[in-house]
Coordinates of all heavy atoms in Angstrom, one line a residue:
P208 N 12.2 -31.0 6.6 CA 12.1 -32.4 6.0 C 11.5 -33.4 7.1 O 11.5 -33.1 8.4 CB 13.6 -32.8 5.6 CG 14.4 -31.9 6.5 CD 13.7 -30.6 6.8
V209 N 11.1 -34.6 6.7 CA 10.7 -35.6 7.4 C 10.9 -36.9 6.8 O 10.8 -37.0 5.5 CB 9.2 -35.3 7.7 CG1 8.3 -35.6 6.5 CG2 8.7 -36.3 8.9
E210 N 11.1 -37.9 7.5 CA 11.1 -39.3 7.1 C 9.7 -39.8 7.2 O 9.2 -40.0 8.3 CB 12.1 -40.1 7.9 CG 13.6 -39.8 7.7 CD 14.5 -40.6 8.5 OE1 14.1 -41.7 8.9 OE2 15.8 -40.3 8.5
E211 N 9.2 -40.2 6.0 CA 7.7 -40.5 6.0 C 7.5 -41.8 6.8 O 6.6 -42.0 7.5 CB 7.3 -40.9 4.7 CG 7.2 -39.6 3.7 CD 6.2 -38.5 4.2 OE1 5.2 -39.0 5.0 OE2 6.3 -37.4 4.0
A212 N 8.5 -42.8 6.9 CA 8.3 -44.0 7.7 C 8.3 -43.6 9.2 O 7.5 -44.2 10.0 CB 9.5 -45.0 7.5
A213 N 9.1 -42.6 9.6 CA 9.2 -42.3 11.1 C 7.8 -41.6 11.4 O 7.4 -41.7 12.5 CB 10.3 -41.3 11.3
L214 N 7.3 -40.7 10.5 CA 6.0 -40.1 10.7 C 4.9 -41.1 10.9 O 4.0 -41.0 11.8 CB 5.7 -39.1 9.6 CG 4.4 -38.4 9.7 CD1 4.3 -37.5 10.9 CD2 4.2 -37.4 8.5
T215 N 4.9 -42.1 10.0 CA 3.8 -43.2 10.1 C 3.9 -43.8 11.3 O 2.9 -44.1 11.9 CB 4.0 -44.0 8.9 OG1 3.8 -43.4 7.6 CG2 2.9 -45.2 8.9
L216 N 5.1 -44.2 11.8 CA 5.2 -44.9 13.1 C 4.9 -44.1 14.2 O 4.1 -44.5 15.1 CB 6.7 -45.5 13.2 CG 7.1 -46.0 14.6 CD1 6.2 -47.4 14.7 CD2 8.5 -46.4 14.6
L217 N 5.3 -42.9 14.3 CA 4.9 -41.9 15.4 C 3.3 -41.7 15.5 O 2.9 -41.8 16.5 CB 5.5 -40.6 15.2 CG 5.3 -39.6 16.3 CD1 5.7 -40.0 17.7 CD2 6.0 -38.2 15.9
L218 N 2.7 -41.5 14.3 CA 1.3 -41.3 14.3 C 0.6 -42.7 14.9 O -0.4 -42.6 15.6 CB 0.8 -41.0 12.9 CG 1.1 -39.7 12.4 CD1 0.7 -39.5 10.9 CD2 0.5 -38.5 13.3
Q219 N 1.1 -43.9 14.6 CA 0.5 -45.0 15.2 C 0.8 -45.1 16.6 O -0.1 -45.5 17.4 CB 1.2 -46.2 14.5 CG 0.8 -46.5 13.0 CD 1.7 -47.5 12.4 OE1 2.6 -48.1 12.9 NE2 1.3 -48.0 11.2
Q220 N 2.0 -44.6 17.1 CA 2.3 -44.7 18.5 C 1.4 -43.7 19.3 O 1.0 -44.0 20.4 CB 3.8 -44.4 18.8 CG 4.7 -45.5 18.2 CD 6.1 -45.0 18.2 OE1 6.4 -43.8 18.1 NE2 7.0 -46.0 18.2
L221 N 1.1 -42.5 18.7 CA 0.3 -41.5 19.4 C -1.2 -41.9 19.5 O -1.9 -41.6 20.4 CB 0.5 -40.1 18.7 CG 1.9 -39.5 18.8 CD1 1.9 -38.2 18.0 CD2 2.3 -39.4 20.2
G222 N -1.6 -42.6 18.4 CA -3.0 -43.0 18.4 C -3.9 -41.9 18.4 O -3.7 -40.8 17.7
S223 N -5.0 -42.0 19.3 CA -6.0 -40.9 19.3 C -5.8 -40.0 20.5 O -6.6 -39.2 21.0 CB -7.3 -41.5 19.4 OG -7.5 -42.4 20.6
R224 N -4.6 -40.2 21.3 CA -4.4 -39.4 22.5 C -4.4 -37.8 22.1 O -3.8 -37.4 21.0 CB -2.9 -39.7 23.0 CG -2.9 -41.1 23.7 CD -1.5 -41.3 24.3 NE -1.3 -40.5 25.5 CZ -0.2 -40.6 26.3 NH1 0.8 -41.3 25.9 NH2 -0.2 -39.8 27.3
P225 N -4.9 -37.0 23.0 CA -4.7 -35.6 22.9 C -3.1 -35.3 23.1 O -2.6 -35.6 24.1 CB -5.7 -34.9 23.9 CG -6.4 -36.0 24.4 CD -5.7 -37.4 24.3

Side-chain angles (χ1 to χ4, degrees):
V209 68
E210 292 185 9
E211 292 297 335
L214 178 59
T215 299
L216 176 60
L217 178 60
L218 291 173
Q219 291 173 351
Q220 293 169 338
L221 295 177
S223 60
R224 295 182 69 179

